[in-house]
Amino acid sequence: MPGRPRASRRTILRTAAVTPVAGLGLAACGPEGGGAASAPTAPVDLGAESEIPKGGAKLFTDHNVVVSRSGNGTLKAFSTVCTHAGCAITKLEGTTLTCPCHGSQFDATTGQVLRSPATAPLDTLPVHANGGKIVAGPGA
């Protein structure tokens, strides 16, 4: 088109070199597997109550849930969808959850943020034990 400047060869080559790198950076900011992680939308059976030690926690990656048990035996459950970028949290060491996307850390017994970039705590989920089995999620 007359009147419009043409891109130089250098500009085209620079753009072609930067585009794949930018795409990789954006992919690293998304949840593992490329799609947004989601918490349970209905009650899910998580197995035997005896699998949760007193003062400890267990991560259920298939359901994006962590369940902890206090010293007095009270169960608590939280969504393991990171509140920073929606990534599925896949690492639990002791009672510390670590998000693989940006390194946010959460306390599995309270849901509170231990390390940023996340600033909001994990979402609390209803949980109870029924006949020795743990059930968590909305409607549990």
Side-chain angles (χ1 to χ4, degrees), residues 36-114:
S38 62
T41 57
V44 289
D45 182 354
L46 299 174
E49 180 182 9
S50 60
E51 292 182 26
I52 313 298
K54 284 189 177 181
K58 183 170 180 181
L59 179 61
F60 298 91
T61 55
D62 290 352
H63 300 289
N64 293 324
V65 174
V66 65
V67 177
S68 64
R69 183 192 302 271
S70 67
N72 69 7
T74 304
L75 295 173
K76 288 188 178 179
F78 301 95
S79 164
T80 56
V81 176
C82 182
T83 57
H84 170 247
C87 297
I89 297 172
T90 57
K91 184 177 179 184
L92 174 66
E93 289 182 356
T95 58
T96 300
L97 294 158
T98 303
C99 179
C101 293
H102 300 108
S104 293
Q105 290 187 330
F106 300 88
D107 184 329
T109 63
T110 64
Q112 295 300 307
V113 176
L114 300 175

